[in-house]
Amino acid sequence: MLGNYDFKATNIVSKCSLYIAIVFTLFFYCSVFIKLLGKKLRTWFFLKFFAKNHIVICGAGDMGYALAKDILNKHQDKKLLVVDINPTNDNANSICTLGGYAISGNAIDKDVLNKLNITKAEKIILMTGKDISNLEILDAITKVIPEADKNDPDNEKNIYIHLESKENYEILPSIKRGGINIKAFSVYDNAAQTLFMKHPLGENVDTIDNDSVNLAIVGFDAAGLSVLYRALALGHFFNDKPLNVTIFDNNHEKKRAEFLKLYPISLKAGGIINWNIYFKDDGELFNKDGIENFNQIIFCKTNVQASLTDIARIIKNQSALLEKKQFFIFIDKHDGIKGIANDIKIEDTDVIPFGDFSQICSYDVVVNEIYDKMAIRADQRYNELHDPGTKHETKWDTLSPFLQDSNRMQVEHLPIKLKAINKLLSENRFLEYDEAKEKAQDKWFDLMLNGQKISDIKKIKLWDEINGAKILATYISLDDIEKLAKMEKHRWNAFHILNGWTTIPKPEGQNYPYRKDDNKKEHALLIDWDELEEASKYIKVKDGKKPHNYKSDDVETVMRAYDMIVSAFEDDKILQDESSIYCKEISEFKRKIDSIKNK
């Protein structure tokens, strides 16, 4: 009896356990089903009734997800809808969990665009991770929107398109339609921009006297290319030493060939080129003395773990060479690398993370363009100075990508100039202002034409209107101001060369046929600083305008240093914030000028 009883009891327990397991399994699958159904119903309800004045992101990869997360966490007044071609993308589920909406589909498809209610969207951001996909989606959208908005011409759409390759910017004018404002950007350019604004080229090098900046870039994909482009555009120093850049990549020959297709430039310093570029095998950096000659080493590999391992290997095997080196590591979506990098400190060596997607893919960066604040305001301020009496609203959106980038580079070179200016600013005046202005006019503004001196009085009078110009003119020697202006000229030349411009040959005994041709990308002034004054005599001028010495343009840029800063920032808080992208040279310069002004 007892044995039978035990057996029955055990049998009952087993059956109960089985039933409980079945119930829990059914409950689990039902809850998953209901959850999925709930998300689908929630999204259907949004698409049916509330999909208007919303933000649409095409692409829920690492970049699109970082942007979506930032919008949902920091801009909760925005309605967000994301579309991704992959129906099993976990990021789409995470976006729904955070309060957004997501659907799967190919955004090239007109039916999908209609489902997104794209014609009613406030902003459309294309971040699939592939240029060709983004361009195809853009083209599809431009065909849908004019059909929907042809009776509403004032309803302009803002479309933001991520383009990894700069040459693809040239395609945009052929795609653009009326009623659509297209803004191109690159996350990798954002990464390079933040890197060099916070840590200028040669930050740890004496670029005032005789030292050279020797830069290593490890890994040459999208991030490495953006870093090199900016380094070449910005690497122009007070001591006139060329920038030396070495690219380390395990496929360096192929990467060299690809680079020269994109930028058919000379790799060696000479003429108006002031850089030396070398491509070497990745392994050479890890030789016994591999890092010895480099001041700044930037790891840009697509595999962040590989970059971290490379740094660890260098620390282990070349520890005697680490003093006064700077290491930078591109971290993309790997926020946790920040803590690891910040913990690595050996002697005077820092490992500095940059390119965090949560920062460079944020709404404020992509849409509100906060990194361009100084460039936008500098452009507006330039127009105010040269056309006084006219109210100048910023026309940044109407500028071509080339002109926008031109303004950016002028502002981003400012920290390199300020490093020299901060050292050159004297405690006492070199000259009184009127005397400095008189000497400056003779040095940079006057031209001798047909035996007569032509004076551009209007240009020299601008100094009176430029914030801080009087102090720079009197507390820095004119010879040093000329060296700073030569830096600016080298920077201007480099930017144009990198963007495919060439010099117009001057016809013998005649004027230049034109100063510049935007379509041919030819410019008469793409020459050395010492040739500027003579070339200025042969530039045609419009009726009613006087010829002027084009040296004065580069000098003016130097004199606007303080003006650029104070016109963009009402107070010093953002400049002094350690988490901002602005380097210490900017706040130090402003402090010095303010101190002199308050004497």
Side-chain angles (χ1 to χ4, degrees):
M1 291 286 289
L2 189 60
N4 278 339
Y5 180 79
D6 286 342
F7 173 77
K8 288 179 180 178
T10 303
N11 195 32
I12 291 170
V13 170
S14 297
K15 285 183 178 181
C16 288
S17 299
L18 178 62
Y19 293 148
I20 290 169
I22 290 171
V23 169
F24 272 104
T25 302
L26 288 172
F27 177 78
F28 172 77
Y29 282 109
C30 285
S31 64
V32 169
F33 176 76
I34 291 168
K35 191 174 182 181
L36 289 173
L37 184 63
K39 285 182 179 179
K40 287 186 178 295
L41 284 173
R42 179 175 169 272
T43 301
W44 177 87
F45 199 73
F46 173 79
L47 293 171
K48 190 74 175 173
F49 300 106
F50 297 103
K52 56 183 70 173
N53 299 321
H54 56 303
I55 298 171
V56 173
I57 298 177
C58 297
D62 293 333
M63 292 183 290
Y65 179 57
L67 173 60
K69 203 160 59 164
D70 180 77
I71 292 171
L72 295 170
N73 288 333
K74 298 179 182 177
H75 302 271
Q76 295 175 356
D77 58 317
K78 307 290 184 186
K79 294 182 288 186
L80 177 66
L81 176 59
V82 178
V83 58
D84 192 87
I85 198 168
N86 181 4
T88 61
N89 189 336
D90 289 338
N91 289 341
N93 289 328
S94 298
I95 288 165
C96 291
T97 302
L98 289 170
Y101 303 89
I103 65 169
S104 64
N106 190 341
I108 299 171
D109 189 332
K110 185 176 179 179
D111 290 338
V112 173
L113 292 177
N114 288 333
K115 188 176 182 181
L116 294 167
N117 207 6
I118 206 79
T119 60
K120 299 298 182 184
E122 177 190 339
K123 291 177 175 65
I124 305 160
I125 306 168
L126 313 181
M127 296 184 77
T128 67
K130 293 182 179 178
D131 284 10
I132 186 65
S133 297
N134 289 334
L135 289 167
E136 286 176 330
I137 295 169
L138 174 63
D139 187 56
I141 291 172
T142 60
K143 289 178 171 63
V144 170
I145 286 180
E147 293 175 12
D149 287 350
K150 59 187 176 184
N151 297 320
D152 189 9
D154 295 327
N155 187 15
E156 187 174 64
K157 297 297 177 190
N158 290 312
I159 303 179
Y160 304 80
I161 178 170
H162 178 263
L163 293 175
E164 195 173 292
S165 300
K166 281 189 174 293
E167 65 265 36
N168 286 332
Y169 284 49
E170 306 290 336
I171 300 172
L172 295 180
S174 64
I175 298 178
K176 187 170 183 178
R177 305 284 192 276
I180 298 175
N181 182 27
I182 301 172
K183 300 180 182 182
F185 69 99
S186 166
V187 163
Y188 302 104
D189 283 351
N190 292 347
Q193 182 183 30
T194 58
L195 170 62
F196 290 131
M197 281 297 284
K198 187 71 173 179
H199 300 280
L201 277 166
E203 181 182 39
N204 57 340
V205 179
D206 183 1
T207 53
I208 313 299
D209 294 323
N210 296 316
D211 291 348
S212 296
V213 176
N214 299 310
L215 177 69
I217 299 174
V218 187
F220 200 59
D221 295 300
L225 180 60
S226 288
V227 167
L228 178 60
Y229 170 80
R230 256 180 168 73
L232 298 179
L234 301 175
H236 308 282
F237 308 103
F238 187 79
N239 61 13
D240 204 23
K241 295 282 186 181
L243 171 69
N244 301 307
V245 187
T246 304
I247 312 299
F248 291 96
D249 193 275
N250 57 13
N251 202 354
H252 66 286
E253 290 292 348
K254 180 183 178 183
K255 296 296 177 67
R256 180 183 184 274
E258 289 175 351
F259 172 74
L260 289 174
K261 281 182 184 178
L262 184 56
Y263 299 105
I265 60 175
S266 172
L267 299 181
K268 299 288 184 181
I272 59 173
I273 298 291
N274 207 30
W275 57 58
N276 294 303
I277 309 170
Y278 309 93
F279 286 79
K280 294 185 178 182
D281 184 76
D282 185 281
E284 292 192 38
L285 187 67
F286 304 100
N287 292 338
K288 185 178 179 181
D289 300 324
I291 67 167
E292 182 173 14
N293 295 321
F294 297 108
N295 323 114
Q296 295 173 306
I297 304 170
I298 307 175
F299 290 85
C300 298
K301 290 186 174 181
T302 52
N303 185 331
V304 178
Q305 176 59 61
S307 291
L308 201 61
T309 301
D310 285 347
I311 293 172
R313 188 179 293 127
I314 288 171
I315 291 172
K316 175 179 177 290
N317 297 327
Q318 301 184 56
S319 57
L321 305 175
L322 295 176
E323 189 176 359
K324 295 183 180 177
K325 308 286 186 192
Q326 280 184 327
F327 291 89
F328 302 92
I329 179 171
F330 176 67
I331 63 172
D332 58 55
K333 65 178 180 179
H334 300 281
D335 293 3
I337 297 293
K338 281 183 183 177
I340 298 172
N342 290 330
D343 288 341
I344 301 174
K345 288 188 179 294
I346 299 179
E347 296 185 8
D348 294 330
T349 303
D350 292 321
V351 178
I352 302 163
F354 76 102
D356 178 0
F357 277 0
S358 65
Q359 178 187 18
I360 61 177
C361 297
S362 69
Y363 184 83
D364 281 340
V365 172
V366 173
V367 175
N368 293 337
E369 301 176 304
I370 59 166
Y371 290 170
D372 288 334
K373 183 176 181 178
M374 281 185 71
I376 292 168
R377 184 62 186 119
D379 176 65
Q380 184 180 352
R381 181 73 177 125
Y382 176 88
N383 292 325
E384 290 170 354
L385 289 167
H386 287 264
D387 189 12
T390 303
K391 186 178 180 181
H392 289 278
E393 299 296 334
T394 181
K395 299 294 183 183
W396 184 256
D397 291 345
T398 66
L399 296 180
S400 67
F402 171 78
L403 289 177
Q404 287 184 349
D405 223 21
S406 178
N407 281 287
R408 286 188 192 103
M409 294 305 160
Q410 186 182 77
V411 164
E412 289 175 38
H413 191 247
L414 193 57
I416 295 176
K417 290 190 187 82
L418 294 184
K419 181 177 181 178
I421 292 173
N422 285 337
K423 186 172 180 180
L424 296 169
L425 273 170
S426 171
E427 292 291 326
N428 302 302
R429 288 187 176 90
F430 281 92
L431 297 169
E432 293 300 321
Y433 178 57
D434 288 340
E435 184 184 0
K437 203 160 65 165
E438 184 180 334
K439 289 180 180 292
Q441 180 174 326
D442 182 63
K443 197 175 181 71
W444 303 310
F445 291 82
D446 292 344
L447 274 179
M448 290 298 296
L449 287 175
N450 303 319
Q452 289 188 326
K453 183 184 285 188
I454 305 295
S455 297
D456 195 346
I457 303 297
K458 187 178 178 182
K459 285 275 287 181
I460 188 68
K461 281 187 175 180
L462 278 182
W463 285 17
D464 299 342
E465 308 300 322
I466 297 172
N467 286 322
K470 292 181 180 180
I471 291 173
L472 293 178
T474 53
Y475 285 84
I476 297 178
S477 73
L478 296 186
D479 287 344
D480 284 336
I481 289 175
E482 175 154 317
K483 288 182 181 179
L484 291 162
K486 286 177 75 172
M487 286 174 68
E488 172 58 21
K489 177 58 180 163
H490 291 156
R491 182 210 63 78
W492 186 92
N493 284 347
F495 175 74
H496 280 75
I497 289 168
L498 287 167
N499 282 276
W501 287 68
T502 58
T503 307
I504 302 171
K506 180 187 171 298
E508 188 67 32
Q510 301 177 42
N511 287 338
Y512 287 99
Y514 40 80
R515 183 171 64 90
K516 67 173 182 174
D517 186 315
D518 292 331
N519 294 322
K520 294 181 180 178
K521 291 190 174 183
E522 293 180 337
H523 209 300
L525 301 176
L526 195 49
I527 53 180
D528 191 68
W529 165 268
D530 294 329
E531 300 174 284
L532 270 179
E533 185 170 343
E534 185 64 20
S536 299
K537 299 174 184 179
Y538 300 97
I539 303 289
K540 288 182 180 179
V541 294
K542 294 179 181 178
D543 293 340
K545 290 198 171 184
K546 287 185 176 181
H548 82 273
N549 188 337
Y550 280 92
K551 283 186 173 180
S552 64
D553 292 354
D554 297 310
V555 173
E556 181 186 307
T557 300
V558 174
M559 305 309 282
R560 287 176 54 216
Y562 181 79
D563 194 289
M564 288 183 193
I565 296 169
V566 296
S567 63
F569 303 106
E570 295 179 1
D571 57 50
D572 297 346
K573 288 180 182 177
I574 191 168
L575 297 177
Q576 294 171 352
D577 183 355
E578 290 188 3
S579 65
S580 79
I581 66 165
Y582 302 106
C583 68
K584 63 182 180 181
E585 297 291 355
I586 296 177
S587 55
E588 182 182 345
F589 169 69
K590 187 175 183 301
R591 180 185 58 77
K592 284 190 172 187
I593 297 295
D594 288 343
S595 176
I596 294 171
K597 286 174 72 175
N598 294 328
K599 275 187 178 179

